[in-house]
Amino acid sequence: MTFSFCGACERLLPDDAFDEEQRRRRQSIRRCQDCIAAGNELVLMKRGTARDEEDFCSVCQLPLPIAMEESMLQPCCMKRVCNGCILSAKKCGILKNGCPFCRTPIAIAKERELLAMVTERVAVLDPVAVCFLGYHHVRGGYGLVKDPKKVIEFCQKAADMGDKNAHYILGDAYRKKWEKCSTEVCSDRDLSFQHYEKAAMEGHIFARFTLGVLECKEGHRDLALQHFLISAKMGHKLSMDNVKILLTGSIATEAICAEALQEYEAAVEDMTSTSREEAKQMGAENIRSFII
Ligand SMILES: [Zn+2]
Ligand SMILES: [Zn+2]
Ligand SMILES: [Zn+2]
């Protein structure tokens, strides 16, 4: 007799505890018949439903804007600061003296010098810095060249240290390999899902959204809805739009959609501040030019 893992009750059960459709699924989205009958949720959908402390601006302590260009990772301390705080620091002269968080002099630094600062953080095994190095090998940048092997090498190291963003980048990296793969059973597909799921269970919004898109493509629209609801409630617009699309496809209900919209709007409100709005009007490139 063979055994399979249930993604809801986390028990290892004989295959006949699952119906045929569930048996074909990967373990993270497979539920035993008992769990289906009891309506037990998958662990994948129970974890990572709120933003963690890394997702807050180190200066104003508000949840960071979701668009990556609306905040900047500081090369000195590897803390993410929102553009609103960078603009405020520029206005009151703090940027002249250094980073708005740790005050290390970084203003008008050259990309090469910024990379040297990051390398110092890598030397002390800061997972965010290790992930930064991995990420900038995706397309090149900061004097680094494009190198898919190094993306995986650095991001795996950062992921092993618990960096959720590194899991997300690995999910993307293995997805690229999987999309090129011609065989039906592709180990890169499994790795891609595993990394996206680890990131999503740590509250990574883009990983959660990506899982929704992938599940939709695989025909699991009920699972897609569960993913989109989680990221929509954290303030992600595209996820909210997809919940509305699934409403017209009769997968979501009016009540589920209305509740999600309410939480989505509250999350967006929590991410809004006067200085962030002003920085947005100025454009991310202009804010970036204060530092580089
Ligand atoms: Zn179960
Ligand atoms: Zn801030
Ligand atoms: Zn700093």
Side-chain angles (χ1 to χ4, degrees):
M1 196 189 299
T2 54
F3 287 82
S4 297
F5 181 87
C6 169
C9 62
E10 299 187 280
R11 287 181 299 170
L12 197 60
L13 298 165
D15 274 354
D16 61 10
F18 301 89
D19 69 29
E20 235 184 278
E21 200 266 332
Q22 294 288 323
R23 243 178 274 163
R24 282 196 297 270
R25 293 183 173 202
R26 19 178 241 289
Q27 66 172 42
S28 53
I29 57 164
R30 182 193 301 138
R31 290 190 300 165
C32 67
Q33 302 202 46
D34 287 352
C35 282
I36 291 177
N40 293 341
E41 249 188 308
L42 293 166
V43 172
L44 175 61
M45 304 301 179
K46 287 198 280 196
R47 296 203 185 130
T49 57
R51 304 185 77 185
D52 64 18
E53 58 183 40
E54 276 169 45
D55 281 344
F56 286 71
C57 169
S58 299
V59 178
C60 65
Q61 303 297 325
L62 292 177
L64 284 164
I66 293 174
M68 295 304 278
E69 70 272 15
E70 288 178 33
S71 65
M72 270 185 80
L73 196 60
Q74 304 302 302
C76 33
C77 50
M78 288 283 117
K79 297 287 182 200
R80 203 166 261 285
V81 177
C82 76
N83 287 2
C85 287
I86 294 173
L87 177 60
S88 304
K90 168 81 174 168
K91 279 186 186 169
C92 61
I94 290 174
L95 267 196
K96 254 193 283 177
N97 303 322
C99 162
F101 179 69
C102 72
R103 306 290 153 95
T104 300
I106 50 163
I108 324 295
K110 298 274 184 304
E111 285 208 332
R112 216 179 35 244
E113 292 161 11
L114 292 185
L115 184 63
M117 279 183 185
V118 175
T119 310
E120 275 178 36
R121 298 297 310 166
V122 171
V124 295
L125 294 178
D126 180 336
V128 181
V130 177
C131 176
F132 180 97
L133 273 195
Y135 177 71
H136 285 285
H137 280 95
V138 174
R139 284 189 206 88
Y142 290 92
L144 302 167
V145 288
K146 185 176 162 177
D147 184 342
K149 280 200 183 116
K150 288 220 162 117
V151 174
I152 290 183
E153 183 191 319
F154 283 115
C155 288
Q156 187 62 59
K157 205 168 160 186
D160 290 343
M161 290 190 271
D163 190 272
K164 65 173 185 243
N165 214 25
H167 278 298
Y168 173 65
I169 297 165
L170 285 169
D172 274 352
Y174 284 113
R175 176 146 71 127
K176 269 185 214 149
K177 291 172 78 176
W178 153 36
E179 281 166 354
K180 283 187 205 146
C181 180
S182 53
T183 53
E184 204 148 288
V185 184
C186 173
S187 60
D188 291 324
R189 174 186 182 278
D190 296 341
L191 283 168
S192 177
F193 271 109
Q194 275 169 29
H195 284 293
Y196 282 137
E197 287 173 355
K198 281 192 177 142
M201 285 194 285
E202 295 292 324
H204 197 288
I205 293 178
F206 295 124
R208 186 61 78 179
F209 171 74
T210 305
L211 284 171
V213 173
L214 292 175
E215 291 298 359
C216 237
K217 281 191 191 155
E218 307 243 324
H220 301 144
R221 298 210 293 168
D222 53 331
L223 291 176
L225 174 65
Q226 292 182 51
H227 286 303
F228 290 140
L229 282 171
I230 295 169
S231 37
K233 288 173 182 181
M234 289 196 268
H236 186 238
K237 185 171 184 306
L238 282 177
S239 298
M240 191 60 235
D241 292 345
N242 283 347
V243 171
K244 289 178 189 162
I245 291 170
L246 289 171
L247 173 70
T248 52
S250 304
I251 302 294
T253 63
E254 290 277 358
I256 287 175
C257 197
E259 187 207 318
L261 187 61
Q262 207 175 21
E263 287 191 44
Y264 162 77
E265 283 170 351
V268 170
E269 179 67 34
D270 286 347
M271 288 185 280
T272 309
S273 75
T274 318
S275 55
R276 285 183 182 182
E277 283 307 302
E278 195 184 332
K280 212 169 164 178
Q281 297 298 324
M282 284 183 70
E285 270 311 302
N286 284 323
I287 301 292
R288 201 176 141 80
S289 70
F290 295 157
I291 305 239
I292 298 174

